[in-house]
Amino acid sequence: MALGGTKGRNDRSTMRRTLHYFWQVTRQKMGAFVLSIVSSVGYIALLTFANTYVMGLIVDRVQASPVPAGQVFTVFGPYILALLVVNAVGQTLSKLQDYSVYKLEINGSYQLSRLCFDTLSNQSMTFHNSRFGGSLVSQTSRFVSGYSGLVDVVTYSLWPTIASVVLTIGMLLPVAPSFVAVLCAMLVLYVALAYRMYKRILPLSAQASTAQNKLSGVLSDAVTNILAVKTYGREDYERGLFTSADRDAMAAENRNMRATMRRGFTTSALITVIMFVVSIFVAGGNAWFGISAGTLVMMFTYTYNLTMRFNYFNSMMQRINRAFGDAAEMTRVLDEPTLVADAPDARPLQVREGAIDFEHLGFHYPDAPADEDVFRDLNLHIPAGQRVGLVGRSGSGKTTLTKLLLRLDDVQEGRVLVDGQDVSKCTQQSLRRQVAYVPQEALLFHRTIRENIAYGRPDATEEQIVRAAEEANALEFIRRLPQGFDTMVGERGVKLSGGQRQRVAIARAILVDAPILVLDEATSALDSESEALVQGALENLMRGRTSIVVAHRLSTVASLDRIVVLSHGRIVEDGTHAQLVAQGGEYAGLWNRQTGGFLEGDAE
């Protein structure tokens, strides 16, 4: 019971937070929002109630006494003119209703999409590493569509329904108070019953949306890694995972559908009872209460329209359920704390020389056991302009150290300083714009080679882009491509070979010309010939810059100013290549065991 109560409170809290986000973007178009209310109420008031009222007057006039053929337009002319005006204005309001919906949805889609993008792009790598990218895309799409769906149902169903209730009571109360009393009692019963069932169905809608997002994540994971799927012949296995997720999604949708249908049958039965009561009043209204024929037409038409509105109440609540269910997961993502966030008073990082200090560093990953620290009281000083190699076995913390420098994760203890400035007190963008980062796996967009090289410096000239490609030993293969620099590289650069992708990434780093350089296995994907050529470019690139080179090919770091050996998150050796080999310690052992320039099993 306690668990169910907690879950119910969580669902209600999520719904309130979703309404908060939706209302924030709606407030930006308050004019359109007010117009949606006015046009919806006016549309119903005129085309349903005013039309029927005028027709009731016509029926009463016809019943009062015969009208000669020559007097038709004289007697009924005002009624005809009234109907013309009512319908013309009503149709205009209908179009204004559509216009207000377009304005709200266009603005909402833009603002909410940007909100989701900003939130996701500012989240830490720990956040992204534990989630499917495809699922986040699906959640964003559903969040935006949830807003559009809610705007539709509120404008086209909720406001007209509320207006119908108020106008029906207001128009019929003076002529049939007893009927209105019975009608109100039945409508209150209907709403109470429908709302109670709605609360039960809301979690089912959220479950259905969650299952659909999981299905999107499974599909995205398989498509993203399609090469692995095919080369290992695991199509059947991935199909099994997809089928299982698909079944779960279908089962969740079926549970939601069955609950919705049960609610529909219950509410439809109550609508039938209401119409039965209406038929009795219409049949006996004149005999029992002296109600005129025109008024009886009004009673029937108003009540019939109202019951049809409430008959669609089932569909309206289902669509509201769907909107909140679709938005639920992204709402929870938006409410998650940002693990790596800029301080309120964060200032841009000013790099004058490029000295780096790791002071009393303590760090463990949030999803790791509390006693499994990556670093504990680690200290490392890198003078400005020094070229430092980080080596060690897998899991020693080499790549993690560079991520902490880039502030892709935040330390739990100690500080990371650049020129004496604590990076946690600087803006993240200013920090990363001062560091050229080349990872082991080249990070390329499905854009042209030119765009990929110029990504860190979009204002670069064509000459600068070409020179960077040449220094990275990429110009020759680029010019051999049919579209040259305009070649689209495919998702994650799949149209290029591993060595080609890496050289494009190195060209990007060369073009950025940042004072600090981080190379994380930057040459590991290159063949021996390309590596030799690129090494020369990297030597030039590192000259005068503070450089951190993570490598398992020790030949890559042998010529650097200094080599730091990490083991289990601690610095165990520190010196030049010659000094460390002469010491005969861990580095010397690694050097001696290498065959063909590779350290067996060492990849982070």
Side-chain angles (χ1 to χ4, degrees):
M1 291 294 292
L3 181 61
T6 301
K7 188 177 188 306
R9 288 193 295 273
N10 289 339
D11 290 335
R12 289 192 293 273
S13 175
T14 300
M15 187 172 73
R16 285 194 296 270
R17 292 297 299 163
T18 300
L19 280 173
H20 167 76
Y21 288 118
F22 286 178
W23 178 241
Q24 291 303 310
V25 299
T26 302
R27 287 176 56 187
Q28 298 175 6
K29 293 294 179 182
M30 187 55 70
F33 178 67
V34 172
L35 180 60
S36 73
I37 300 174
V38 173
S39 59
S40 297
V41 172
Y43 168 73
I44 290 297
L46 292 174
L47 295 188
T48 299
F49 288 86
N51 257 341
T52 304
Y53 178 76
V54 174
M55 287 304 301
L57 295 177
I58 292 174
V59 170
D60 284 342
R61 179 63 188 84
V62 169
Q63 189 184 35
S65 62
V67 177
Q71 296 295 314
V72 169
F73 287 105
T74 301
V75 173
F76 293 106
Y79 301 113
I80 295 172
L81 181 61
L83 288 174
L84 176 62
V85 173
V86 164
N87 280 276
V89 176
Q91 291 299 331
T92 300
L93 289 174
S94 173
K95 300 312 168 192
L96 290 175
Q97 185 185 40
D98 294 339
Y99 171 78
S100 67
V101 169
Y102 283 137
K103 292 292 288 184
L104 289 172
E105 290 185 359
I106 290 171
N107 176 70
S109 296
Y110 172 74
Q111 297 293 347
L112 292 173
S113 295
R114 190 170 67 174
L115 171 66
C116 293
F117 178 84
D118 288 344
T119 300
L120 295 176
S121 63
N122 287 321
Q123 269 292 6
S124 68
M125 290 308 299
T126 299
F127 169 90
H128 286 286
N129 290 340
S130 60
R131 287 167 172 82
F132 284 126
S135 182
L136 291 174
V137 172
S138 175
Q139 289 170 29
T140 300
S141 176
R142 286 176 174 273
F143 186 71
V144 174
S145 67
Y147 176 79
S148 297
L150 195 61
V151 168
D152 280 347
V153 72
V154 167
T155 304
Y156 293 121
S157 296
L158 183 60
W159 298 137
T161 299
I162 294 173
S164 295
V165 171
V166 173
L167 290 170
T168 298
I169 294 173
M171 298 289 284
L172 297 183
L173 186 60
V175 295
S178 56
F179 170 73
V180 170
V182 174
L183 180 62
C184 286
M186 300 187 74
L187 290 179
V188 169
L189 176 63
Y190 181 99
V191 171
L193 182 63
Y195 179 70
R196 184 174 180 179
M197 300 181 74
Y198 157 78
K199 284 171 57 178
R200 293 179 179 177
I201 294 175
L202 180 60
L204 297 178
S205 295
Q207 291 169 17
S209 180
T210 298
Q212 285 291 343
N213 287 331
K214 181 179 178 182
L215 180 64
S216 298
V218 171
L219 176 61
S220 174
D221 198 35
V223 172
T224 301
N225 296 286
I226 192 65
L227 182 60
V229 174
K230 289 186 172 297
T231 53
Y232 283 90
R234 297 288 278 173
E235 290 91 345
D236 290 343
Y237 174 76
E238 293 299 328
R239 190 177 190 279
L241 292 178
F242 180 84
T243 300
S244 176
D246 196 30
R247 270 200 214 99
D248 290 342
M250 187 168 62
E253 291 286 2
N254 279 327
R255 286 193 297 271
N256 188 37
M257 179 269 294
R258 285 192 294 269
T260 301
M261 292 302 296
R262 284 195 297 269
R263 183 184 66 188
F265 283 123
T266 303
T267 53
S268 293
L270 193 53
I271 289 292
T272 303
V273 173
I274 293 174
M275 287 309 300
F276 175 71
V277 173
V278 172
S279 66
I280 293 176
F281 267 90
V282 170
N286 182 262
W288 298 335
F289 306 107
I291 300 174
S292 69
T295 302
L296 289 175
V297 170
M298 287 168 49
M299 285 177 58
F300 179 82
T301 304
Y302 291 166
T303 309
Y304 177 77
N305 170 71
L306 187 59
T307 56
M308 287 301 97
R309 287 282 172 192
F310 274 82
N311 198 38
Y312 293 132
F313 193 81
N314 185 45
S315 172
M316 180 174 69
M317 297 305 289
Q318 181 182 6
R319 290 163 63 196
I320 290 175
N321 265 335
R322 172 68 69 180
F324 283 115
D326 283 350
E329 282 201 271
M330 181 49 66
T331 296
R332 286 190 282 269
V333 168
L334 293 173
D335 283 344
E336 280 198 31
T338 303
L339 298 179
V340 180
D342 285 341
D345 58 348
R347 294 176 295 180
L349 176 70
Q350 302 293 333
V351 179
R352 298 176 298 278
E353 297 176 340
I356 301 171
D357 286 280
F358 299 94
E359 290 186 348
H360 304 290
L361 216 61
F363 176 76
H364 67 267
Y365 285 105
D367 54 354
D371 59 344
E372 290 188 9
D373 292 337
V374 180
F375 299 116
R376 183 176 297 173
D377 197 30
L378 180 139
N379 290 277
L380 176 62
H381 172 66
I382 302 176
Q386 189 174 70
R387 304 171 304 159
V388 177
L390 297 181
V391 302
R393 295 186 179 277
S394 177
S396 60
K398 305 185 300 294
T399 296
T400 301
L401 201 62
T402 65
K403 288 181 178 179
L404 295 178
L405 170 62
L406 286 160
R407 221 183 148 213
L408 299 177
D409 284 299
D410 266 339
V411 298
Q412 285 88 31
E413 298 175 9
R415 300 187 302 170
V416 180
L417 307 174
V418 175
D419 281 344
Q421 302 163 83
D422 189 338
V423 298
S424 67
K425 297 179 180 178
C426 300
T427 61
Q428 295 176 65
Q429 283 197 2
S430 67
L431 165 65
R432 292 162 192 163
R433 285 173 180 167
Q434 301 294 330
V435 182
Y437 178 63
V438 183
Q440 180 175 6
E441 182 179 355
L443 306 174
L444 301 187
F445 296 89
H446 180 38
R447 302 169 190 173
T448 65
I449 290 178
R450 176 184 290 101
E451 289 175 289
N452 272 287
I453 292 177
Y455 187 74
R457 189 179 169 186
D459 60 342
T461 65
E462 183 73 11
E463 180 183 356
Q464 291 169 329
I465 294 171
V466 172
R467 186 164 60 248
E470 184 176 18
E471 291 179 8
N473 194 34
L475 186 59
E476 183 180 353
F477 87 79
I478 292 173
R479 284 181 169 166
R480 287 202 307 267
L481 296 172
Q483 279 81 42
F485 281 90
D486 294 318
T487 301
M488 299 292 289
V489 302
E491 186 178 9
R492 296 181 299 119
V494 295
K495 292 184 178 181
L496 304 179
S497 70
Q500 290 172 337
R501 288 196 297 270
Q502 201 68 338
R503 280 177 275 172
V504 170
I506 292 171
R508 177 192 295 167
I510 291 172
L511 186 61
V512 166
D513 195 26
I516 299 173
L517 178 66
V518 174
L519 304 175
D520 189 356
E521 309 284 12
T523 62
S524 63
L526 302 179
D527 55 65
S528 299
E529 181 180 354
S530 296
E531 181 184 12
L533 293 170
V534 170
Q535 283 287 3
L538 292 179
E539 288 289 339
N540 294 331
L541 176 62
M542 286 188 285
R543 187 173 296 119
R545 291 180 175 82
T546 307
S547 304
I548 299 177
V549 182
V550 177
H552 66 261
R553 290 186 188 178
L554 299 189
S555 59
T556 305
V557 299
S559 61
L560 299 182
D561 302 325
R562 177 183 173 197
I563 298 170
V564 174
V565 183
L566 293 172
S567 179
H568 302 292
R570 296 183 301 111
I571 298 174
V572 294
E573 293 180 336
D574 188 347
T576 66
H577 169 74
Q579 290 170 341
L580 296 182
V581 170
Q583 287 176 9
E586 184 165 339
Y587 178 83
L590 294 174
W591 178 263
N592 293 331
R593 282 197 300 271
Q594 282 201 6
T595 302
F598 291 92
L599 180 60
E600 188 175 327
D602 183 36
E604 289 198 37

